[in-house]
Amino acid sequence: MSEAQETQGLETPGQEPPREANHRVFLVVVDETEEMRVALRFAALRARRTGGKVAMLYVVEPSEFQHWMSVGDIMREEARTEAEQVLQRMAAEVSELSGSLPILYVREGDRRDELLALLDEEPNISILVLGAATHKRGPGPLVSAMTGKFLGRLHIPVTVVPDSMTVEEIDAVT
């Protein structure tokens, strides 16, 4: 395992990853962007309609403050606490929409690298759902990477959901 830290301990008691081969697990990389919220809604509704589950990955970027170890440790712990709070808040929304508790992952490192590592480690994940920004700056670095240079590293389909979709449009296509 890399230096990255992973926590599956956020899972709610009684929650287990799907064991049956026909369960789809829709993975969403969580941050606090509007495009992520569109992707999360899409994934939750698809999971509900297909009998699947949602998995959520939050990647804590490494602290740039490495000069004093104790300060870096405090900053890392604060970032991890914030990640857990964001995931718990989003998990409540996913649970309401999908009808089941999501699988939660927290990792530390580069978002793209940690996503690829998780996909390699977790054979139950069957679909990656990414939200794409539709403004002039482009869809976002993760969407660009996963649909471009790093597409060959993926062994699952990628669903890209544009942030311009309305709630009604998402509900209609899921």
Side-chain angles (χ1 to χ4, degrees):
M1 189 157 116
S2 70
E3 291 180 22
Q5 298 174 344
E6 176 181 358
T7 297
Q8 287 179 282
L10 294 177
E11 296 175 50
T12 305
Q15 172 185 349
E16 294 181 15
R19 289 190 180 359
E20 297 177 33
N22 63 350
H23 278 250
R24 288 183 177 170
V25 177
F26 298 85
L27 176 64
V28 178
V29 180
V30 174
D31 56 24
E32 298 201 58
T33 62
E34 282 304 310
E35 56 266 25
M36 185 282 306
R37 296 187 74 72
V38 173
L40 196 59
R41 180 176 188 87
F42 180 92
L45 293 175
R46 287 295 301 145
R48 167 170 244 147
R49 292 198 173 95
T50 62
K53 303 256 317 164
V54 173
M56 299 184 325
L57 168 65
Y58 191 109
V59 179
V60 177
E61 298 287 330
S63 170
E64 303 229 355
F65 201 89
Q66 302 289 331
H67 304 340
W68 294 306
M69 205 139 155
S70 61
V71 174
D73 290 344
I74 291 169
M75 291 174 72
R76 186 172 25 264
E77 187 58 38
E78 288 174 353
R80 185 174 196 79
T81 299
E82 180 183 337
E84 291 171 1
Q85 290 171 349
V86 168
L87 278 176
Q88 291 299 333
R89 190 173 64 247
M90 297 294 168
E93 292 179 33
V94 168
S95 181
E96 188 175 316
L97 287 170
S98 71
S100 66
L101 296 171
I103 303 163
L104 307 176
Y105 300 94
V106 173
R107 290 187 158 205
E108 183 178 325
D110 176 77
R111 184 173 287 146
R112 181 197 65 223
D113 295 344
E114 293 304 320
L115 170 59
L116 291 169
L118 179 63
L119 293 174
D120 288 342
E121 296 164 13
E122 290 296 332
N124 287 329
I125 296 172
S126 50
I127 298 172
L128 174 60
V129 181
L130 297 173
T134 55
H135 49 67
K136 292 181 181 181
R137 291 186 305 240
L142 198 56
V143 173
S144 295
M146 294 300 120
T147 59
K149 182 178 179 181
F150 293 91
L151 185 60
R153 294 248 340 251
L154 298 176
H155 56 273
I156 60 172
V158 178
T159 299
V160 179
V161 185
D163 68 353
S164 59
M165 289 186 76
T166 66
V167 168
E168 293 78 19
E169 290 170 331
I170 294 169
D171 293 351
V173 299
T174 55

